């Protein structure tokens, strides 16, 4: 299935990792083959039993490693099929399209229920094909094609999407920025929707643990500790910075 162009960078990154890991696996597989000669070549008498057992164990471990490497193919296939990330370049557009589809779906379900209530069937309902007898039996048993539970879930999803749109819009309207607090650069990137903490030097283990406790993760690409840019992200940054000693004020 063709992927959206914006997924290309992620796919290339995983594919490069797959190629590197596969090459390492092949080299290891070849090295294991030299640990002990084949019985077909050396004969039973020419085989060191201990070495052969180690070789078999090594082959088994390498086979398990291959399963892990093969999992990267599934990751490549799944790129672009998950939820909408706030850092996507077209996140707002995607969310608005999703909201429009969900609202249309909700109205369709309501119309289908009303049609069924008035006619006792969905035959002739303009948005449905021919309904099977099995489905009709289910409708008669439940009283309507779409249950109240299904409609409530749809409404909840619509509210969730609206809240995400409002949250991302508010952050983008405020605009990004950068400031230095206690010697640490605090960067708000509204394009990637990330709040980043950039240290002049590598923080010690205690500081790294505090960052992780506040939801920050190390980004080698940006050389920064970062998390999602939203109200929670800003609070987490403020909470972490409150624990940092301001060495610039020390004499």
């Amino acid at each position: 299935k063709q992927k959206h162009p914006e997924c290309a960078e992620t796919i290339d990154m995983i594919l490069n990792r797959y190629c590197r890991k596969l090459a390492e696996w092949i080299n290891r597989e070849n090295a294991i083959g030299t640990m002990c000669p084949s019985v077909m070549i050396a004969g039973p008498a020419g085989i060191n039993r201990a070495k052969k057992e180690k070789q078999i164990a090594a082959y088994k471990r390498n086979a398990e490693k291959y399963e892990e490497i093969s999992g990267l193919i599934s990751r490549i296939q799944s790129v672009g099929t998950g939820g909408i990330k706030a850092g996507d370049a077209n996140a707002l557009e995607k969310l608005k399209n999703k909201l429009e589809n969900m609202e249309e779906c909700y109205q369709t379900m309501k119309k289908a229920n009303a049609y069924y209530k008035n006619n006792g069937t969905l035959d002739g309902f303009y948005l449905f094909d021919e309904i099977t007898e099995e489905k009709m039996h289910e409708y008669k048993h439940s009283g309507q094609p779409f249950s109240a539970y299904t409609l409530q879930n749809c409404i909840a999803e619509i509210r969730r999407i609206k809240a995400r749109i409002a949250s991302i819009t508010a952050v983008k309207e405020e605009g990004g920025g950068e400031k230095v607090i206690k010697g640490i650069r605090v960067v708000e990137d509204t394009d990637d929707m990330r709040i980043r903490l950039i240290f002049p030097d590598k923080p010690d283990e205690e500081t790294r643990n505090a960052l992780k406790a506040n939801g920050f993760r190390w980004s080698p690409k940006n050389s920064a500790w970062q998390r999602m840019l939203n109200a929670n992200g800003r609070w987490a940054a403020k909470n972490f910075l409150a624990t940092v000693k301001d060495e610039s004020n020390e004499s």
Side-chain angles (χ1 to χ4, degrees):
K1 184 178 179 180
Q2 187 175 7
K3 301 290 186 180
H4 194 280
E6 68 186 35
C7 300
E9 183 178 352
T10 301
I11 292 174
D12 286 344
M13 180 183 69
I14 301 175
L15 185 59
N16 287 336
R17 184 183 177 193
Y18 170 77
C19 293
R20 186 179 71 254
K21 292 287 186 181
L22 183 61
E24 292 173 355
W25 180 87
I26 292 173
N27 289 338
R28 178 57 181 162
E29 189 78 357
N30 292 335
I32 294 172
T34 65
M35 291 172 62
C36 186
S38 169
V39 176
M40 299 295 293
I41 297 175
I47 297 298
N48 183 302
R49 184 173 180 179
K51 286 186 177 181
K52 175 56 70 175
E53 289 177 350
K54 287 183 179 180
Q55 184 186 48
I56 293 173
Y59 270 130
K60 184 177 180 180
R61 289 193 298 271
N62 213 39
E64 293 173 353
K65 193 69 176 177
Y66 182 77
E67 292 298 322
E68 295 177 13
I69 296 171
S70 298
L72 293 173
I73 296 298
S74 298
R75 286 188 58 189
I76 291 173
Q77 293 172 337
S78 67
V79 171
T81 62
I84 301 171
K85 296 182 179 179
D88 287 352
N90 301 315
L92 277 177
E93 181 183 351
K94 290 180 180 179
L95 284 169
K96 289 176 181 177
N97 288 337
K98 185 175 182 179
L99 176 62
E100 183 179 347
N101 291 335
M102 287 298 299
E103 289 178 331
E104 183 179 347
C105 179
Y106 176 70
Q107 292 302 324
T108 298
M109 289 191 290
K110 285 182 62 179
K111 290 177 181 178
N113 281 353
Y115 187 94
Y116 183 82
K117 181 179 180 180
N118 293 330
N119 299 280
T121 179
L122 282 178
D123 288 346
F125 186 60
Y126 70 104
L127 288 175
F128 282 74
D129 295 328
E130 184 178 349
I131 307 299
T132 64
E133 290 186 8
E134 181 181 355
K135 278 293 182 185
M136 285 299 300
H137 178 74
E138 291 180 11
Y139 297 159
K140 289 178 181 178
H141 180 73
S142 62
Q144 59 186 18
F146 298 98
S147 66
Y149 177 77
T150 300
L151 293 172
Q152 288 168 2
N153 280 348
C154 188
I155 292 174
E157 179 65 6
I158 288 172
R159 288 174 178 166
R160 187 189 69 81
I161 296 172
K162 285 182 176 180
R164 284 199 67 194
I165 291 174
S167 176
I168 294 174
T169 300
V171 170
K172 287 186 177 294
E173 287 179 349
E174 289 177 13
E178 179 177 334
K179 52 190 173 183
V180 178
I181 301 177
K182 298 180 180 179
I184 302 170
R185 286 174 58 203
V186 182
V187 180
E188 293 189 357
D189 189 334
T190 55
D191 291 329
D192 288 342
M193 290 298 291
R194 295 291 185 274
I195 182 168
R196 299 189 176 101
L197 302 181
I198 303 174
F199 293 75
D201 301 300
K202 181 179 179 178
D204 57 31
E205 184 177 0
E206 182 180 355
T207 302
R208 296 198 301 271
N209 289 336
L211 284 162
K212 293 175 184 177
N214 282 281
F216 286 90
R217 294 294 178 264
W218 173 248
S219 169
K221 177 182 177 181
N222 298 293
S223 298
W225 289 84
Q226 65 179 28
R227 61 169 289 167
M228 188 67 68
L229 174 57
N230 51 27
N232 289 337
R234 285 170 170 159
W235 180 89
K238 183 178 180 180
N239 186 61
F240 165 76
L241 290 167
T243 67
V244 177
K245 183 185 295 185
D246 190 353
E247 297 181 354
S248 62
N249 291 332
E250 294 183 355
S251 56

